[in-house]
Amino acid sequence: MTLETLKQVVLEANLALVRKGLVFMTWGNASAIDRERGLIVIKPSGVPYETMRAEQMVAVDIEGAVVEGELKPSVDTATHLVLYKAFGDVGGIVHTHSHYATVWAQAGLAIPCFGTTHADHFYGEVPVTEGLTAEEVAGDYERSIGEAIVRRYAEMNPMEHPAVLAAQHGPFTWGATLGKAVENALALEEVARMALDTVRLAPDTPPIGPYLLTKHFLRKHGGEAYYGQQ
């Protein structure tokens, strides 16, 4: 894939987040990585989506130095870079402040897996990070967000749990491709809404049983998945 093509892919993903109602104003960003070249393409910071163009997407190297582009990259670039370094199977990352997922993040609560709709996408609860310290916020803030996410995944497979809530901040999702990361962002917002309504209706609802969770997740994911057309 050429760099120009990758910029178009990243533009279209960012615009899709707006069309799907996951991004309000300029509250979000999407990026993709070309691991062979060691380049990440991400949206520019603060540019209105209605005027955004593919040539405005910014290419940075894995350390964050701008390789191509005249605009400043998203302020969340450092977070994306930490995740790309730590999660080698990730090809695209999405960050939004979508309403329902952000409600759970602001409360500092993981999203329980109450049913099979959630289990089809995420292998258990959607985790939440620890809150950042004053020192982390005063220092390299965006990098610290990424490092908090990586710490939360010390004993978790990021491809089985491709969504996380940064405490008091908002959700991040990822996937093998940027398209999959966008799909996971959509799924996350819907299961966050379902979970909130579930606890409103029946506060003592238990999480889904592990046997049903595993059945639903593995029928869509993994080597023996049978959902969809083979």
Side-chain angles (χ1 to χ4, degrees), residues 140-201:
D140 196 339
Y141 171 57
E142 288 80 15
R143 182 175 298 277
S144 294
I145 293 170
E147 291 171 348
I149 293 170
V150 172
R151 287 195 300 270
R152 184 64 182 83
Y153 277 75
E155 298 181 0
M156 296 170 61
N157 182 341
M159 304 312 283
E160 292 181 350
H161 302 268
V164 68
L165 307 176
Q168 290 87 53
H169 186 60
F172 288 81
T173 63
W174 50 80
T177 66
L178 181 50
K180 190 64 178 177
V182 172
E183 179 183 320
N184 288 334
L186 287 165
L188 173 62
E189 181 66 0
E190 186 60 17
V191 301
R193 184 170 72 93
M194 289 179 175
L196 184 59
D197 285 344
T198 298
V199 296
R200 284 171 172 166
L201 180 65

Side-chain angles (χ1 to χ4, degrees), residues 38-171:
L39 295 178
I40 295 91
V41 174
I42 194 165
K43 70 174 280 291
S45 178
V47 174
Y49 286 84
E50 58 267 22
T51 63
M52 199 179 294
R53 305 186 308 276
E55 56 267 29
Q56 293 177 312
M57 302 299 105
V58 185
V60 302
D61 66 18
I62 198 65
E63 300 304 325
V66 174
V67 174
E68 184 173 312
E70 297 180 358
L71 299 177
K72 183 174 70 173
S74 167
V75 295
D76 294 307
T77 298
T79 308
H80 290 236
L81 296 179
V82 171
L83 299 181
Y84 282 126
K85 288 179 181 179
F87 303 155
D89 292 329
V90 168
I93 295 171
V94 165
H95 171 50
T96 75
H97 291 262
S98 60
H99 179 89
Y100 289 96
T102 301
V103 166
W104 288 90
Q106 290 182 162
L109 295 174
I111 303 174
C113 181
F114 288 126
T116 60
T117 305
H118 182 133
D120 280 341
H121 294 276
F122 311 110
Y123 199 20
E125 69 176 21
V126 175
V128 63
T129 68
E130 295 181 345
L132 299 182
T133 66
E135 291 74 18
E136 287 173 316
V137 172
D140 196 339
Y141 171 57
E142 288 80 15
R143 182 175 298 277
S144 294
I145 293 170
E147 291 171 348
I149 293 170
V150 172
R151 287 195 300 270
R152 184 64 182 83
Y153 277 75
E155 298 181 0
M156 296 170 61
N157 182 341
M159 304 312 283
E160 292 181 350
H161 302 268
V164 68
L165 307 176
Q168 290 87 53
H169 186 60

